Amino acid sequence: MSEIIETLQYYLQYPFVRYALIVGVLIALCSSLLGVTLVLKRFSYIGDGLSHVAFGALAIASVLNVENSMFVVMPITIVCAVLLLRTGQNAQVKGDAAIAMLSVSALAIGYLIMNLFSTSTNLSGDVCTTLFGSTSILTLTIGEVRLCVILSIIIVVIFVVFYSYI
């Protein structure tokens, strides 16, 4: 047992391991809070759909050479999530079907933009790296960790306050 504790202490001395652990736990907390509610409301596909929206927004940000793409990706993704959740209940196409249409459209637009306005000669490498990432959870900065903490607190507070309306 002491070997396990020593090994954990050894790994936790590195900041990138601590950052990855903090962000991973916070994402798991927020996902577990929202997951059941979204599945019961037939929005189980929303995580995948919004990731494709974020890819389309990231393609726009990379074409525009935005220094910090978070300022483009986050607002577009949040607006699409709100629109899906608000208008999805009153539309003819509801729930996962609306998310699927948005997901495919956003992915196609993002790929088209990256094809038309490629910033490098290796397009397939750019698209694969953008879609699947690299070891990005191991390259988190302290600013990104703080942003994750702030957003997690906001999500938990909003969930607790509006739980009776869900």
Side-chain angles (χ1 to χ4, degrees):
M1 185 67 164
S2 65
E3 291 178 25
I4 295 172
I5 293 173
E6 289 175 13
T7 305
L8 283 174
Q9 287 175 340
Y10 173 73
Y11 286 129
L12 289 175
Q13 72 181 345
Y14 297 107
F16 72 91
V17 174
R18 288 192 306 264
Y19 296 163
L21 187 64
I22 291 167
V23 169
V25 167
L26 289 174
I27 289 172
L29 170 72
C30 293
S31 298
S32 64
L33 280 177
L34 300 173
V36 173
T37 306
L38 291 172
V39 169
L40 291 175
K41 291 186 176 268
R42 303 188 68 159
F43 286 109
S44 58
Y45 195 53
I46 198 164
D48 184 56
L50 291 179
S51 70
H52 289 105
V53 169
F55 170 72
L58 187 64
I60 293 169
S62 67
V63 166
L64 296 176
N65 291 325
V66 175
E67 179 93 13
N68 188 354
S69 60
M70 189 74 70
F71 294 119
V72 174
V73 175
M74 193 179 300
I76 291 175
T77 307
I78 290 172
V79 166
C80 283
V82 169
L83 288 175
L84 276 172
L85 293 173
R86 295 297 269 160
T87 60
Q89 297 168 353
N90 301 328
Q92 288 180 333
V93 179
K94 295 186 179 189
D96 285 342
I99 295 169
M101 291 189 310
L102 178 70
S103 171
V104 171
S105 302
L107 187 64
I109 289 169
Y111 192 76
L112 178 69
I113 288 172
M114 289 191 86
N115 260 329
L116 293 176
F117 305 104
S118 178
T119 56
S120 77
T121 56
N122 185 9
L123 176 67
S124 64
D126 290 343
V127 172
C128 286
T129 302
T130 304
L131 281 175
F132 304 110
S134 54
T135 55
S136 61
I137 195 162
L138 298 178
T139 60
L140 292 169
T141 64
I142 189 67
E144 292 168 335
V145 174
R146 287 181 183 143
L147 177 67
C148 185
V149 168
I150 291 167
L151 289 176
S152 296
I153 290 170
I154 291 170
I155 289 170
V156 169
V157 167
I158 289 174
F159 185 82
V160 169
V161 169
F162 292 106
Y163 182 74
S164 61
Y165 297 109
I166 299 174

